Amino acid sequence: EDLLIWLKQRGTPIAVRLVKGAYWDTETVLAMQRDWPIPVWQSKQSSDANFEKLSRTLLNNNDLVMPAFASHNIRSLTHAVTYAEHLGLSKRDFELQTLYGMGEEFKEAFVKRGYLVREYAPVGELIPGMGYLVRRLLENTSNEGFVRKSLHDKTDPETLLAIPEFDPADSAVAYIESRAKGAFHNEPLLDFSSSNVRSDVAAAVTSLRAKKKPTLVAPIVSGAEIVTEQEIPSVSPEDPELNLARVFLADVSHCQAAVTDLNDYFGEWSKTSVKERAGLLRRVANVLREKRLQFIAAAVLEAGKPWLEADGDVAEAIDFLDYYAMEAERICITVSTGNFPGEQNTYFYEPRGVTLVISPWNFPIAIPCGMFAAALVTGNTAILKPAEQTSLCASLLFNAFLEAGMPPRAAAFLPGIGEEIGSYLAKHEHISTIVFTGSRQVGMELIRTGASHPSLHVKRVIAEMGGKNAIIIDDDAELDEAVKGVLYSAFGFQGQKCSACSRLIVVGENYERILERISEGVRSLTIAAPSDPRCFVGPVIDEAARDKIMRAIDNAKKDCVLLAEGDVPDNLNGYFVPPTIFAGIPKGHAILREELFGPVLAITHVATFDDAISAALDSEYALTGGVFSRSPSNITTAARAFNVGNLYINRACTGALVGRQPFGGARMSGVGSKAGGPDYLSQFLIPRTATENTMRRGFVPEL
Ligand code: NAD
């Protein structure tokens, strides 16, 4: 209908090719994965009925379109032909299209009767062409397909040619509705192909940008906001002149007051039922859903996240809330263990005490949300100490917890300087758990602090740290997919994800082709302000980050081959770093070893797949990794030998989903169990057992 309106305005007809079934699987699976309504009919008869309906629409508008009916279903084609005749159209007013080598008999019959029949065939490269033909063969020989039913199954003509009716059970949301209630499902991402969604996000970003005064972000202790003496601005990486928030910094005295009160209140909070605490998380999830646009806008402007990434951040935060609510209800119960006559054993958990949550800026909503929610739902009181750069996002999050009914004394919000208050709090005698995500340097320091400053317990430090992640492209990899996956993994959100790919290892003879394609790809990435929806590569977080990355690029230019460097448009005044790729890198060069946290990719060339695995593992980190290969044996080898925390095969190496790809690394990338996974919450708890001798004067009650 939209097309017809446009054609009326345009005044010149165009050809429209009507097909059905093409990419049906892809459309269906992608929608299911994203939890979106499925945009294609699920039953064959509905597809057929819709094809006929659209055939009539096209023919009715013959003055605006030249319809082409592409099918191997005689009923569908005959319907179009008959309807055209019924309208009095000529045989030249439309055409029929069939695949070369398929349906020869009926093709001939149509040609004999004077209809225009176009045969089509893939042209170009052999391998993709074969891939196309195989897909078409699979479609046409599927159990539902007309070709199979007529030629192979010999279905009787009456049935084959019957009028197709829409199946009333066929609905775009049937799949979503059919899923088990109460089970965990990832929060669907927004569908930015909808213009309403785009205009809503644009409006939210514009409104935050247009705020006359910066938002006040202040420490919150026992529910009371404290306007402190020291403040720093929170500026936007895309426009350092845009001051989004005045961040009032907590100092040591506020920290002391907060820990004392949280320690006092711990006894009460730890006794609440898990049902109550899980209920709180679910209500917070709903607040985030309601305020999703506001959160997206804050992540776009304060963290410099492109729209899609900002939405992913909010969706992941919601996932953590729902998932940990469910997990807490699973774990925080008392179970009997190995009962024997005359003895009753119970196994249960208790919370550890005041938990210090220290978060990074790169997932300014999801990461603090996950760590903070995990601490609270397991019955601990908690301090949220966010990264300085994204204090506004964190304050929105903390307020969402308060709005959802978190008791004000269960947690404190302490924005402040990491080296000062983070370090002070970590040593505090009443902090029993430190949960940290950030750089290796700070993480290791916190681990040392934990060991040397015990509280009532030995401090537990859960530290998720950096990465230097590699993707391997095997010599038989599907290059289109590989290039796309590498570009997204390396340059999405400017390479500032801990999971981002910063090393690419190419096996064998495709090396030159890959260099060429990736270089072209880098030059075509849109560098823009994240508030602009076209943005693929935005600015890095702040001036210090930009200077550090630019220095590393300048150094690498001295010893490596600069393959490509994106062009940052002159009109951008944020902290932009051009996406950059290097090859010809000397062994052991810093660019292969040190985490840069920016849009820089180092490419190396190896002879065999085994060499590639060795090169990939030649790192102190082990967070994520990727492999693009079509070889089943290499894929099996990689799954076993490429032992990073999260390995991705034939897809990008970023974008882990809560519950589906629990996230976290080993070696210098982390010591904690995976966030968003089944082992995570137990780290916030102390397991206990109680054993009772139930034998009394020779009498043993029944088990
Ligand atoms: P960062 O280590 O500089 O800061 C993280 C937090 O630590 C901030 O809140 C900061 O204020 C605080 N901090 C700084 N010094 C401190 C000190 N001495 N004592 C206590 N707290 C202190 O990291 P960042 O720049 O915010 O984040 C980027 C880093 O985070 C990268 O290395 C990235 O790989 C890592 N990261 C890891 C994961 C993961 O899951 N493994 C996820 C996201 C980010």
Side-chain angles (χ1 to χ4, degrees):
E1 298 291 339
D2 286 347
L3 199 57
L4 291 173
I5 294 169
W6 174 69
L7 284 172
K8 273 187 195 126
Q9 292 162 356
R10 185 177 189 259
T12 316
I14 61 166
V16 174
R17 174 169 194 261
L18 191 62
V19 296
K20 65 179 140 130
Y23 293 102
W24 183 91
D25 269 333
T26 312
E27 298 269 15
T28 303
V29 171
L30 285 181
M32 283 174 162
Q33 283 184 353
R34 292 170 186 168
D35 240 334
W36 288 349
I38 297 173
V40 288
W41 297 101
Q42 289 301 286
S43 75
K44 175 82 170 72
Q45 49 168 335
S46 299
S47 293
D48 287 343
N50 202 46
F51 191 91
E52 295 192 2
K53 186 176 151 198
L54 287 175
S55 301
R56 295 194 293 275
T57 306
L58 292 177
L59 290 165
N60 287 340
N61 290 280
N62 192 250
D63 51 334
L64 299 173
V65 290
M66 167 70 179
F69 302 101
S71 176
H72 298 93
N73 180 324
I74 302 172
R75 157 85 211 183
S76 303
L77 294 178
T78 317
H79 166 269
V81 165
T82 314
Y83 190 72
E85 266 170 27
H86 161 78
L87 292 178
L89 300 179
S90 95
K91 289 176 177 167
R92 306 270 128 183
D93 284 333
F94 59 94
E95 67 177 55
L96 309 176
Q97 298 186 346
T98 56
L99 184 61
Y100 173 76
M102 198 141 203
E104 295 303 327
E105 301 87 343
F106 69 77
K107 217 179 290 181
E108 218 167 282
F110 280 119
V111 172
K112 264 196 198 140
R113 284 167 174 74
Y115 293 102
L116 291 178
V117 177
R118 187 191 298 266
E119 278 191 316
Y120 60 92
V123 288
E125 286 185 52
L126 181 70
I127 303 277
M130 292 301 287
Y132 170 83
L133 286 176
V134 169
R135 179 173 66 72
R136 296 305 314 271
L137 274 175
L138 288 174
E139 279 165 10
N140 283 321
T141 54
S142 80
N143 288 344
E144 293 291 312
F146 185 93
V147 175
R148 180 186 168 115
K149 285 203 158 151
S150 54
L151 298 176
H152 181 271
D153 299 351
K154 308 275 182 237
T155 307
D156 71 281
E158 287 299 311
T159 314
L160 272 178
L161 300 177
I163 300 174
E165 304 280 358
F166 282 103
D167 175 356
D170 197 346
S171 105
V173 290
Y175 164 72
I176 297 174
E177 284 166 358
S178 73
R179 292 175 327 187
K181 298 267 177 298
F184 170 76
H185 299 293
N186 295 102
E187 181 70 12
L189 295 176
L190 293 181
D191 178 0
F192 284 101
S193 68
S194 147
S195 61
N196 289 344
V197 171
R198 290 197 302 275
S199 52
D200 286 351
V201 173
V205 173
T206 311
S207 121
L208 178 58
R209 206 172 218 301
K211 266 185 117 177
K212 295 242 161 30
K213 283 190 183 154
T215 309
L216 301 188
V217 171
I220 303 175
V221 177
S222 313
E225 224 172 49
I226 310 167
V227 176
T228 60
E229 277 163 19
Q230 253 193 317
E231 67 173 282
I232 51 168
S234 179
V235 300
S236 175
E238 72 171 51
D239 175 6
E241 272 157 36
L242 178 63
N243 186 1
L244 296 162
R246 291 175 62 190
V247 182
F248 292 92
L249 302 174
D251 64 20
V252 166
S253 67
H254 306 116
C255 294
Q256 175 60 41
V259 179
T260 305
D261 195 43
L262 291 170
N263 195 44
D264 287 348
Y265 189 68
F266 170 66
E268 205 166 313
W269 179 243
S270 63
K271 286 191 197 71
T272 50
S273 70
V274 65
K275 193 162 177 275
E276 189 179 330
R277 299 191 306 259
L280 167 68
L281 263 55
R282 293 194 176 103
R283 290 194 302 278
V284 180
N286 285 337
V287 175
L288 261 59
R289 285 187 184 100
E290 276 161 32
K291 300 196 165 166
R292 187 166 186 149
L293 294 169
Q294 196 189 345
F295 277 92
I296 293 176
V300 167
L301 288 178
E302 198 184 37
K305 287 211 153 183
W307 288 16
L308 224 107
E309 307 288 342
D311 181 48
D313 207 325
V314 187
E316 189 177 357
I318 295 172
D319 284 351
F320 277 131
L321 292 160
D322 282 345
Y323 183 80
Y324 290 150
M326 177 188 78
E327 279 293 293
E329 285 174 339
R330 178 179 70 82
I331 292 175
C332 297
I333 51 168
T334 301
V335 291
S336 304
T337 47
N339 275 343
F340 273 71
E343 177 182 289
Q344 197 174 47
N345 297 302
T346 50
Y347 185 88
F348 54 95
Y349 290 102
E350 64 183 32
R352 296 177 52 86
V354 187
T355 301
L356 171 61
V357 176
I358 302 183
S359 58
W361 49 264
N362 72 331
F363 281 81
I365 301 156
I367 291 183
C369 182
M371 297 193 293
F372 185 61
L376 284 175
V377 80
T378 42
N380 303 286
T381 50
I383 291 173
L384 177 56
K385 160 33 212 132
E388 294 83 328
Q389 297 93 330
T390 49
S391 300
L392 172 63
C393 287
S395 93
L396 291 175
L397 177 72
F398 192 86
N399 282 305
F401 274 80
L402 286 173
E403 186 181 333
M406 175 180 72
R409 292 185 63 204
F413 177 59
L414 296 177
I417 307 295
E419 291 83 345
E420 291 170 18
I421 65 162
S423 171
Y424 167 80
L425 285 164
K427 295 181 187 125
H428 199 288
E429 58 173 341
H430 287 148
I431 296 290
S432 64
T433 311
I434 302 169
V435 49
F436 166 84
T437 306
S439 64
R440 169 179 168 180
Q441 185 206 340
V442 176
M444 294 305 287
E445 187 184 319
L446 290 172
I447 290 167
R448 283 191 293 272
T449 303
S452 53
H453 292 78
S455 69
L456 184 62
H457 310 291
V458 176
K459 277 195 178 103
R460 173 165 290 162
V461 184
I462 306 162
E464 298 301 327
M465 304 179 287
K468 189 72 196 173
N469 312 304
I471 290 184
I472 297 172
I473 302 186
D474 201 359
D475 58 4
D476 67 348
E478 163 77 76
L479 290 195
D480 290 341
E481 292 297 319
V483 169
K484 212 167 66 181
V486 169
L487 287 174
Y488 181 68
S489 308
F491 302 113
F493 186 37
Q494 304 76 270
Q496 297 178 113
K497 297 180 194 174
C498 46
S499 52
C501 165
S502 52
R503 295 182 294 143
L504 174 63
I505 301 161
V506 182
V507 183
E509 59 190 22
N510 276 328
Y511 183 61
E512 295 297 332
R513 275 168 82 196
I514 287 171
L515 291 191
E516 196 186 310
R517 293 182 65 171
I518 298 233
S519 305
E520 276 310 309
V522 164
R523 285 188 272 269
S524 71
L525 299 176
T526 309
I527 305 175
S531 56
D532 178 342
R534 288 170 310 166
C535 169
F536 187 93
V537 181
V540 297
I541 188 71
D542 55 22
E543 200 173 352
R546 182 188 58 193
D547 294 350
K548 180 181 161 207
I549 303 164
M550 289 310 294
R551 264 197 311 277
I553 292 177
D554 288 343
N555 279 338
K557 279 180 183 169
K558 290 180 202 145
D559 331 294
C560 314
V561 179
L562 174 70
L563 271 183
E565 195 170 30
D567 262 334
V568 177
D570 291 338
N571 61 344
L572 296 175
N573 63 347
Y575 306 121
F576 285 86
V577 170
T580 308
I581 2 176
F582 290 103
I585 303 160
K587 207 170 164 13
H589 194 281
I591 208 142
L592 290 174
R593 284 183 292 106
E594 290 166 16
E595 186 187 41
L596 259 186
F597 229 52
V600 182
L601 180 66
I603 310 186
T604 48
H605 186 201
V606 293
T608 66
F609 192 75
D610 286 344
D611 294 344
I613 300 260
S614 309
L617 292 177
D618 185 14
S619 168
E620 294 178 336
Y621 296 102
L623 191 51
T624 71
V627 173
F628 284 91
S629 176
R630 275 190 287 213
S631 149
S633 75
N634 286 353
I635 289 174
T636 311
T637 304
R640 183 180 36 79
F642 192 172
N643 56 351
V644 288
N646 288 59
L647 180 69
Y648 299 95
I649 295 159
N650 289 327
R651 53 155 282 179
C653 72
T654 61
L657 287 173
V658 170
R660 261 161 59 188
Q661 294 104 18
F663 187 79
R667 300 198 198 174
M668 289 300 135
S669 293
V671 296
S673 295
K674 288 175 179 298
D679 300 324
Y680 191 71
L681 288 189
S682 56
Q683 301 176 107
F684 295 79
L685 293 161
I686 298 169
R688 285 189 47 203
T689 62
T691 298
E692 184 189 344
N693 176 1
T694 52
M695 190 142 73
R696 302 269 189 278
R697 292 174 205 89
F699 167 77
V700 181
E702 261 179 45
L703 280 183

